[in-house]
Amino acid sequence: QVQLVESGGGLVQPGGSLRLSCAASGFTLDYYAIGWFRQAPGKEREGVSCISSSDSSTYYADSVKGRFTISRDNAKNTVYLQMNSLKPEDTAVYYCAAIIMTRRNMCVMTPMQYDYWGQGTQVTVSS
């Protein structure tokens, strides 16, 4: 059974850090580009970051550039999102998703293009 499981969310004060993990089971992530998305109450799901399957390309939304870092460890079949200098506006449910791209050095930030999704993990930034 193909499954993605996010973990690492929680409650953190502004300026704090969290590291989210996206673990795959039932398939290997080696050939998949991975995206992180988030959805706040009353808002549409938005792309946060993505990483190509070749690990050569990463992309970030302008709102998180310089604060978030995406990485992958294929040996552990896991992708990470390191989130630093968190702000209240980062509060949302965070999802990871997987897609096979035609070109291994590419990834996309469009949610509807992704094939597999995790169940999400809540991140709350509040004092």
Side-chain angles (χ1 to χ4, degrees):
Q1 182 181 0
V2 173
Q3 194 173 15
L4 292 172
V5 179
E6 302 95 337
S7 61
L11 173 63
V12 64
Q13 292 186 341
S17 298
L18 285 172
R19 188 177 79 157
L20 305 184
S21 298
C22 172
S25 61
F27 71 108
T28 178
L29 286 179
D30 290 26
Y31 295 99
Y32 287 81
I34 303 297
W36 281 99
F37 300 86
R38 66 186 181 187
Q39 188 165 20
K43 294 188 178 181
E44 292 187 354
R45 191 169 297 190
E46 63 174 354
V48 175
S49 181
C50 68
I51 186 167
S52 65
S53 61
S54 69
D55 204 12
S56 63
S57 299
T58 58
Y59 298 93
Y60 297 92
D62 288 343
S63 59
V64 306
K65 278 182 183 176
R67 300 188 298 122
F68 290 11
T69 303
I70 191 170
S71 62
R72 63 192 301 154
D73 185 341
N74 287 344
K76 295 184 178 180
N77 221 24
T78 301
V79 173
Y80 303 97
L81 185 68
Q82 178 67 44
M83 306 187 298
N84 298 328
S85 302
L86 283 161
K87 304 176 182 180
E89 50 264 42
D90 295 318
T91 295
V93 178
Y94 283 71
Y95 301 88
C96 66
I99 182 176
I100 290 184
M101 300 293 297
T102 301
R103 296 178 62 177
R104 293 200 64 195
N105 63 342
M106 291 182 62
C107 63
V108 294
M109 299 272 274
T110 308
M112 65 175 62
Q113 293 185 260
Y114 279 76
D115 300 312
Y116 303 110
W117 288 85
Q119 83 292 344
T121 185
Q122 176 70 46
V123 172
T124 302
V125 185
S126 175
S127 55

